[in-house]
Amino acid sequence: MANITKKVSWSSRGDESGGGERTPLLNGSEEVRYTRQLSGDGGMFHIGRLSTVDLEEDMTSDEDAGCPKEIPHNEKLLSLKYESLDYDNSENQLFLEEERRMSFLGFKCLEISRWVICGLIGFLTGLIACCIDIAVENLAGVKYFVVKQNIEKFTEVGGLSISLILWAVLNAAFVMVGAVIVAFFEPGAAGSGIPQIKCYLNGVKIPRVVRLKTLVVKVCGVICSVAGGLAVGKEGPMIHSGAVVAAGVSQGRSTSLKKDFKIFEYFRRDTEKRDFVSAGAAAGVSAAFGAPVGGVLFSLEEGASFWNQMLTWRIFFASMISTFTLNFFLSIYNKKPGDLSSPGLINFGRFESDSVAYNLYEIPLFIVMGAAGGLLGALFNILNYWLTIFRIRYVHRPCLQVMEAMLVAAVTATVSFAMIYFSNDCQPLGPDQSEDYPLQLFCADGEYNSMATAFFNTPERSVRSLFHNPPGSYNPLTLSLFTLTYFFLACWTYGLTVSAGVFIPSLLIGAAWGRLFGILLASITPDGSIWADPGKYALIGAAAQLGGIVRMTLSLTVIMVEATGNVTYGLPIMLVLLTAKIVGDYFVEGLYDIHIKLQSVPFLHLEAPATSHWLTAREVMSAPVTCFNRIEKVGTIVDVLSNTSTNHNGFPVVVPVAASDDMGKVCGLILRSQLIVLLKHKVFVELARSRLTQRKLQLKDFRDAYPRFPPIQSIHVSQDERECMMDLTEFMNPTPYTVPQDTSLPRVFKLFRALGLRHLVVVDSENRVVGLVTRKDLARYHLGKHGLEEMQLAQT
Amino acid sequence: MANITKKVSWSSRGDESGGGERTPLLNGSEEVRYTRQLSGDGGMFHIGRLSTVDLEEDMTSDEDAGCPKEIPHNEKLLSLKYESLDYDNSENQLFLEEERRMSFLGFKCLEISRWVICGLIGFLTGLIACCIDIAVENLAGVKYFVVKQNIEKFTEVGGLSISLILWAVLNAAFVMVGAVIVAFFEPGAAGSGIPQIKCYLNGVKIPRVVRLKTLVVKVCGVICSVAGGLAVGKEGPMIHSGAVVAAGVSQGRSTSLKKDFKIFEYFRRDTEKRDFVSAGAAAGVSAAFGAPVGGVLFSLEEGASFWNQMLTWRIFFASMISTFTLNFFLSIYNKKPGDLSSPGLINFGRFESDSVAYNLYEIPLFIVMGAAGGLLGALFNILNYWLTIFRIRYVHRPCLQVMEAMLVAAVTATVSFAMIYFSNDCQPLGPDQSEDYPLQLFCADGEYNSMATAFFNTPERSVRSLFHNPPGSYNPLTLSLFTLTYFFLACWTYGLTVSAGVFIPSLLIGAAWGRLFGILLASITPDGSIWADPGKYALIGAAAQLGGIVRMTLSLTVIMVEATGNVTYGLPIMLVLLTAKIVGDYFVEGLYDIHIKLQSVPFLHLEAPATSHWLTAREVMSAPVTCFNRIEKVGTIVDVLSNTSTNHNGFPVVVPVAASDDMGKVCGLILRSQLIVLLKHKVFVELARSRLTQRKLQLKDFRDAYPRFPPIQSIHVSQDERECMMDLTEFMNPTPYTVPQDTSLPRVFKLFRALGLRHLVVVDSENRVVGLVTRKDLARYHLGKHGLEEMQLAQT
């Protein structure tokens, strides 16, 4: 079936390709389709190759590929530009020698270093969260103070339009700063960063996602966008920030700052780095929501393919340190040192631990709310999906992006102002007033405008008000209007070129309609008193809405429970999230998954599609494969590496079978990055003979080059050197995982996913290479409306 | 290196053997040692084969092997009697055909069934917990009432020795019932069951551990032992109970009751069953401690090798339902329906969520307490280890075991009585008195004996008193005496032939010395008020002691946090548990691990020993291996299966290499259980030809035989039939995982552990079988004091 050709041959599909094939094409796409008959009982499959190449982009090296300005807007594509992480150690001779040389004490030291690093990650993440919180508090405080003064001044004399303009201009100014740094300096810092971190933890190398520059832009950006009054939260970006901190700290150097501390050199490989990044992401969640366990579960849910107890425990340590650090510094900032009551950026406040938190007969109501959350979440996601496609097509220039962000900021201020202006929901200003900026506006003295509590405030405070303000603080009309406007504002805002999260807006929308639901319930039931607490419904609504949008499950339940500090609400929150997920999934995927798909990232789900047992490795694999001999000519290697569109960044090393035209028997696997280092150091057989003193290549040389291996173009190989030979034996992984070609797709998938592989060699019964399975080969298959569907691979 | 002999040959080590080789030996052991030179840079290794065969035991089938009356008391042995679970699906043609026939809707239905089963597991586990709680409450209530009456009667007239005798007799009577049912009916129900469940989740098939009978005996046993006043808890057994419930419900039938509901037939295999058992264990933890997240983490920490999001979410669902069910029924029992404040069997009660829960400078103190807990835990474990060895040697007859249990019960009563009698710690009986049975004894009127609060009570209530009674309720002398006596009582009690857990006694010991520590701290510091709350130190002490004994980490932190209902204590509890683990591990392993080792279970840890990179599959594997041809003579198969001591329960199927004496090329793997079914149904090539109407063997036939496959002896094969041939092609797993023989041990280990394998075929470069790696081959290596050590394999 599989057509096996010569040893060095070009793959028909450029999976795991190092760069882009630069075929000059007009804007648009030229599809080269061909069909093939599968050997199973399946029908015809379309396997496409779609070349939409961004001409402006110059992909020079693996990591420096940069963020594409244009992303394909067809989510049925898988981009070939993403590479996988090498989570599987290449156990070559150098590696084994190092491991064997290391004493038990050495391993102990490494283990201690890992703990120290995790502690540092937690500490720094907590510190960053603290800085963001304080900066936002102060900036937003100044802004609201100025606007409030202005409104008060003009309420009496008339001319509130001036206040509106002031508010809008202040917002737009903040947002402009935030958008400019993101759009012009580091587009990778846009959005919440959660989709990117999900992909990274899944094993996809997203370019520039864990750079120092991204962190700086992210932190400044999120401060600006929250202070700018956008319908965004500062929680999502914390997860990204934590991940960047982890990637930086664990490597003991900064490539951007050109500073190498010469520590933690052992951890300079993808396996270790990815583990630390999971700790960082967990620390970020922990700092954002005061939810250390939720953070661990988030990391595991998104990232871990293989459960490792020590790793999990370290992740938990980082999370704990992170929330503790934040709490500690905030307590000092709030002049109550030692008061450990604000463990996260958002605190839901204490829910009265009434012994009767909820009744059994309320559970169906909660489930109905979950379904509503699922529906509203699906609507949100569909609207945002259309908007994103629109943005991809028409708003891809940085200046346009900045202008759109400023427009949204101004519109947000205007809408908020209008809502407050036309609302006549006045509430008495009690003595235990928790509002920071109560707006009197047209209310009587001693009263304040209730609509302003929701709009004239940072979203975190608004959520807390909706959860905890006593019954009667809001009238139903205020809440309905607020829900409606905030829903569309939040939907418009997500995907702007600013650094911002979607957690808090979702919670806020949900809390608003949840509270509305509670108020209506109390008014229509004869004995309203038992439904007395609308805050409870606000909490359930918030969970439902957030679940409907992001579709996280276990981790979100735990995060919500930890944020409320009340274990009793666990069951209703879980049921609500589950319902929201089921209902929402019926219509459309979760928001993060939509954005991942729109980026055409080859994301591996946890299991192969259920109905894929009839596919085998033979059908799934890429064939023919470029292979090398144990001792290979330098020229051949250089040629293969230069032709970036036609290899998988990993090459089986084979022993030729005598008197046969077939592929050789597999005896190892070598990575593109390893070959690059070998070429750079000119590890040629002939040179080794002539220069006896030549230093033997060590693992350190590979580590120093990690993670930004130079492109093949930058390595000069003379014509003479091209005739030399390279001995790959010592550097290849001599025991790559292999599967027979009859292995079913789910089995291949399980092996691949469980071990976090990058390349899986498919062999025949004689141990000869017949194909190679990479991430894209597996990610292509997904369950669509009409059963199993196959996605197409695109060059961009 | 590896000496390859004829196709059908006897393994030198009987790993994964089906039964015991019955060589009549005297009591003791005859060691057959031989040495071999390893090819790495290592020295000489002793590979032993130790035959200590229990003569009384008749191992008839895989599952019916029964619990050994005698276990080898050398923890440097690995028993050959334990088999592994087949967590890896055998993807043979039958399986693939079934999967391929199934529609997407079919998979959906299966998924829904899984959820229903998990819901049922949670519900039933919660119900069982509720029954245990109510039964213990009532029995203990009656007992304490009778004894209290008696003591009050005799305090005045003198002759308290009669009360003592009454108390001791009552205790001994309860314990006798509990010990008799365990010792005579189901020895597998002894202890907490956590070690057994740990092993099961690790992938080891422990005989009779998930039987219905075990559950019944466990539940009755734990009620008796707690009511009998032993220093035990009812929490550990809940985990075992949940696991049994899960194993029963998920199979849709009970082999013991000979009742097949004809449902859930799809789940009748090890893969699915093990997943459900993890859910059951989690539900058990959840019901025991009101800790659903802790339950999930427990299951993951102990069991999951491969993180599966949907599975985790189902486990969480089962846990939630379990705690909710318990809570709901208890609230009805307590006549406060809807009051959801008792989510677990043990509730630590509400810790005052004071804003200043603890101060930064208290953290070093907590760490000191953690170290103390580690030391005391290690002492506990060492004492218990000696005691267990003593018991293995001298107390192995059921009647002796019952007598020992009764003795402990009587001694516990006597010691308690003496402590109460000689104590003169009288406390005023306040209006908000929470004691159920305040003993006045020799105290003045309106006062009660404080020592009696600790001893004259179920341990759960004592823990709560220590956590929450106001400062001054206990004087330091009472606490020190109590700690001392309870420590030794608990240590003596654990390992008795009764069904009982060690969690609560550990918490109680720790809470006592923790509170003592708090009191002393308050008295020696100048400003005692800041250390005012001894309850906080009781909590930390409890965590330290428990951590020092069981050495659980992440899950225990979460369980403790959920049980206290206060997230703020997360960091100190984590630090304390971490310290206790580090300090304790320096001396001796955790209690459960000690007991697992004493049972010589081949337990796979999460990672290969750090310094094992120089070992390769070649050194680790068992060789030579018994192989079969694709079409094999029935006689050969019967002979191989009958010789139970010499195979691995799994046989590579090979294609012979022409003109060669070598092993054939691997083309599949077939299990002993599959061959048994084939033989039973006489699936012979000749018969298929003659009887055209013969029903084709289906997967259902394998499922019906699961899990108690008949022994080979019970299958009659005539002399004519012995000459027939069997075609294994359709039934073997055609794509077993293989590794080259140079693969390093950590790499083999990772593959084996991540995929939950049972057999891993080692092949040479020609794909010829050279060996087989099973669980025991990997479990043998461990890090000892002097680097890597190898355990010996024993027949018993």
Side-chain angles (χ1 to χ4, degrees), chain B residues 757-768:
Chain B
L757 298 184
R758 186 174 177 189
H759 305 99
L760 180 59
V761 183
V762 182
V763 294
D764 64 6
S765 64
E766 305 288 315
N767 227 6
R768 286 176 304 209

Side-chain angles (χ1 to χ4, degrees), chain A residues 41 87-89 91 95-96 99-100 102-104 107 115 290 292-293 296-297 300-301 304-310 312-313 316-317 320-321 324 328 337-341 350 353 355-360 363 553-554 557-558 562 565 567-568 570-571 574-575 577-578 581 606-607 610-611 613-616 665 733-740 742-744 746-747 750-751 753-755 764-767 783, chain B residues 41 87-89 91 95-96 99-100 102-104 107 115 290 292-293 296-297 300-301 304-310 312-313 316-317 320-321 324 328 337-341 350 353 355-360 363 553-554 557-558 562 565 567-568 570-571 574-575 577-578 581 606-607 610-611 613-616 665 733-740 742-744 746-747 750-751 753-755 764-767 783:
Chain A
D41 30 357
Y87 196 64
D88 183 41
N89 281 329
E91 293 209 335
F95 176 83
L96 288 175
E99 295 286 313
R100 284 165 190 171
M102 211 183 302
S103 66
F104 182 57
F107 283 105
W115 281 92
V293 181
V296 173
L297 290 175
L300 291 175
E301 208 168 283
S305 37
F306 182 64
W307 173 272
N308 181 327
Q309 204 168 346
M310 285 316 285
T312 316
W313 188 228
F316 190 47
F317 182 68
M320 275 287 181
I321 295 288
F324 183 80
F328 181 71
D339 172 1
L340 299 177
S341 59
R350 190 126 214 107
S353 63
S355 66
V356 186
Y358 57 92
N359 285 295
L360 200 60
I363 285 182
T553 50
L554 180 62
T557 310
V558 177
E562 284 187 292
V567 180
T568 326
L571 183 72
M574 191 195 66
L575 289 176
L577 287 177
L578 196 59
K581 185 174 166 62
L606 278 150
E607 278 178 339
T611 56
H613 263 102
W614 57 274
L615 279 172
T616 64
K665 285 180 198 295
N733 178 0
T735 54
Y737 294 111
T738 58
V739 284
D742 291 325
T743 316
S744 70
R747 201 172 169 83
K750 200 178 160 195
L751 177 69
R753 186 79 167 84
L755 299 175
D764 64 6
S765 63
E766 305 289 314
N767 229 3
L783 271 180
Chain B
D41 29 356
Y87 196 66
D88 182 42
N89 281 328
E91 293 209 336
F95 176 83
L96 286 175
E99 295 285 313
R100 285 166 189 170
M102 211 183 304
S103 66
F104 182 56
F107 283 106
W115 281 92
V293 182
V296 173
L297 290 176
L300 291 175
E301 206 168 285
S305 38
F306 182 63
W307 172 271
N308 180 325
Q309 203 169 348
M310 285 314 286
T312 316
W313 188 228
F316 190 47
F317 182 69
M320 274 288 179
I321 295 287
F324 184 79
F328 181 71
D339 174 0
L340 300 177
S341 58
R350 188 125 215 107
S353 63
S355 65
V356 186
Y358 56 91
N359 285 296
L360 198 61
I363 284 181
T553 50
L554 179 62
T557 310
V558 177
E562 285 188 291
V567 181
T568 326
L571 184 72
M574 191 195 69
L575 289 175
L577 287 176
L578 195 59
K581 186 176 164 63
L606 278 150
E607 277 177 340
T611 56
H613 263 104
W614 57 275
L615 279 171
T616 65
K665 284 180 198 299
N733 179 359
T735 53
Y737 295 111
T738 57
V739 284
D742 292 326
T743 316
S744 72
R747 200 171 170 84
K750 198 178 161 196
L751 177 69
R753 186 79 168 85
L755 299 175
D764 64 6
S765 64
E766 305 288 315
N767 227 6
L783 271 180

Side-chain angles (χ1 to χ4, degrees), chain B residues 624-678:
Chain B
V625 188
T626 314
C627 296
F628 288 125
N629 286 316
R630 261 171 189 278
I631 295 177
E632 186 62 85
K633 228 177 97 185
V634 173
T636 315
I637 294 177
V638 172
D639 288 344
V640 168
L641 293 188
S642 303
N643 197 324
T644 47
S645 67
T646 52
N647 61 60
H648 300 74
N649 285 336
F651 309 90
V653 180
V654 294
V655 179
V657 180
S660 158
D661 207 27
D662 282 355
M663 285 281 195
K665 284 180 198 299
V666 61
C667 70
L669 184 86
I670 195 152
L671 297 174
R672 178 190 183 80
S673 57
Q674 292 174 322
L675 290 172
I676 293 272
V677 175
L678 294 183

